[in-house]
Amino acid sequence: MRLPFGKQAEVPAQENQMPRRTTSTPPPEDFEERIVDIDVSAEMRTSFLEYAYSVIYQRALPDARDGLKPVQRRILYSMSEMGLRPDRGHVKSSRVVGDVMGKLHPHGDTAIYDALVRMAQPFSMRLPLIDGHGNFGSPDDMPAAMRYTEARLAASAMLMVQSIDEDTVDFKANYDGQETEPTVLPSAFPNLLVNGTSGIAVGMATNMAPHNLVEVVAAARHLIKKPDATLDDLMRFVPGPDMPTGGTIIGLEGVRDAYEKGRGTFRMRATCTIEAVTPRRKGIVVTELPFNVGPERVVTKIKELVTAKKLQGISDLKDLTDRHKGLRLVIEIKNGFHPEAVLDELYRLTPMEETFGINNVALVDGQPRTLGLRQLLQVYVDHRLDVVRRRSSYRRRKREERLHLVDGLIVALLNIDEVIQVIRTSDDSAQARTRLMEVFELSEIQASYILDTPLRRLTRFDKLELDNERQTLQEEIAELTAILSSDDRLRKVVSAELAEVAKTFGTPRRTILLESSGVSRSASVPLEVPDDPCRVLLSSTGLLARTADASPLSGEGERSNHDVLVAAVDSTVRGEVGAVTSHGRMIRVNVVDLPALPPSASPPSLSGGHPISEYVTLNPGESVVGLGSLATDGPGLAIGTAQGVVKRVVPEYPANRDDFEVIGLKDGDTVVGAVELVSEDHDLVFITTSAQMLRFTASIVRPQGRPAGGMAGIRLDEGASVVFFGSVDPVKEARVVTVAGSSTALPGTQTGGGKVSDYAEYPAKGRATGGVRVQRFLKGEDSLLLAWAGHAPARAVSATGKPVPLPEELGRRDGSGVRLTNTVGAVGGALGTHLPAVPVVTETP
């Protein structure tokens, strides 16, 4: 049978035998074709074993001593031989690749460049060995071609090749026998544990996690000091892997298994924080991702899940990663969703949580073995002891050779005249060497060295230098001999060198280790915010918020430095309310978008609220004057205008529009107040700038459709306008607060005269009448600057929200006011199921 795969059988050489032709031309008559029968199964078995052996020992698996695959070892050795040290300039990567491929690794430039790139990537190696210049890629992107990048050895790589020229490791011939290469590098630090590795061979694979250099060195030094140390002892120094990209390792059971048996799995999670990414929304900020996971992979997966509606609660996703701030993924969460629950879903469905399977397979004495933590450290320690032993032996040998030459030179200096006489009387250098050896009892090496030494070195000063050098050499030889003759001294040297490496190149741990199994919090935290009852609040300075529940609000007692609440509407968390503007518009506001006040805020404070301008878009000169419910049942919304018009709006609002008209205003008219009625039995109250007040029952106002312009509410005096419109429950105790001043003064420049009176002192009148006097003007006063009617007690604040004391209550309903100490910006009262509103200063400039 012919050999498979085109392989030719070996034919015994014969004289004048012609080579086999590869064309269709028939062979000559004297050509005798020979076909060798070979068993296919035997050939396949032999070929496969040869291939498997090559992959296992020459490509995929690292050596347990230096932690390097052959291609990595050849790159570092070649760059060291090329002089590409950290203090030299970078050279083109293609030059390095070409030198490695031409001399040591004839397996293609792609494999060499890929290995070089990985050793230069800080997100792949815990301690990079190559100092790259240019685009060496990212976790998501490929690096630039080798002709565009440059490289040199990193400072840490010099530890790998340190003392390689001192007979510390064995060398072997390269693939063509013209060069030599090291079988292993000296490796002054445990590279296999520090940087980890991965590879797929034939019938086996390796996947080793990176670790912290300081921790690994501490464990190795402990093993050097106590060779019988247990795994528990070593894990006190190496509690778990330390990934280059940081992150969090959840659960250490798999890590313990891997350290004990060489195999195990653990989960890696991204490092995330929940922050306020916008004034209105929270978001998840990702600063670290699991090992070998790039931001683009996470972004792509999240987009796929959101598109497929398998992941809810995400409104936006931004990748703000750059070279200065590092990784930063901002995942904006929709209002109405708990960020913690969304984060749990991200861990469950995206690569923000990945599993790492440890498989510690490496070559030990040329054989692939699965090693635990102790075995890995033991192999490295044994290797390092052997390296230092061979280095010490080499250095002692070199110093002994030098001492031998120095002794010969000293003999020549002490007998300089006789030496010169011997040399001058000799016929040639060979005779002079022989006579020097006989006369002064020198060795051949010493005699040859004396003959080669220039006469200018045979001075008295050189005699002193040689004496000092001999003493130094004798001390160094004694020290090296002590190291070689004592195993304890040898171990101390290795331990001290490792300690210096950790001190120089050690960095803090990046990966957080968590003992817990990382149980999802989604079981206790729902994904969406429940549609619970709540109350929407509006302050006099335009801050908007919602309460955590629908419990009644109390305005009694002392409060913190904050403005008063001037509007309150019952709703649900996932419902909507309407903001009524001075131009007669109602704008929808999603309640879930509003910040929730903590339940402990009693009495309620809107210091945690957001400006209403973030939720509604106002026209120039337009302001928000109150809040209304969008419910289709109930008495509806009551509106009062500056020209004395009153209107009750039929609660039928368009569902497909975000803003709509609720009253048809006449030219020059504006809405002064708007309040959601609780009952038709409540009073509607007008107070004008001419100090007239009118109250009448809401039931006498007929509800109208949205485009209607309302009906007459109060009859105004000439030049007067409405300063307040609201609603009051006549059964409850209520107060009327008015502040009088000059209409010609600039706003905010006068304190005015304030007056507080009992609401019951003012009788109800018919709609469209002039009402009754509420305050008598004093000298310099001609108008009411501010007025309010509501449930007791009354409270006043300045324009900045600071409390302003009000005067004591007066018995006379038409009495004059008392001069105030500060300017009043707004007045509010008790907060119950109903709260009248005063104009809110939210005008757009």
Side-chain angles (χ1 to χ4, degrees), residues 156-178:
S156 56
M158 300 305 297
L159 300 174
M160 299 295 296
V161 297
Q162 191 179 64
S163 305
I164 196 172
D165 55 349
E166 294 183 306
D167 192 29
T168 53
V169 294
D170 296 330
F171 280 73
K172 65 178 181 179
N174 70 333
Y175 66 94
D176 61 1
Q178 298 184 9

Side-chain angles (χ1 to χ4, degrees), residues 219-241:
R221 294 184 65 198
H222 182 75
L223 187 61
I224 291 173
K225 184 178 180 180
K226 297 182 178 180
D228 57 346
T230 63
L231 176 62
D232 292 333
D233 297 334
L234 297 176
M235 286 190 66
R236 289 192 295 109
F237 302 96
V238 185

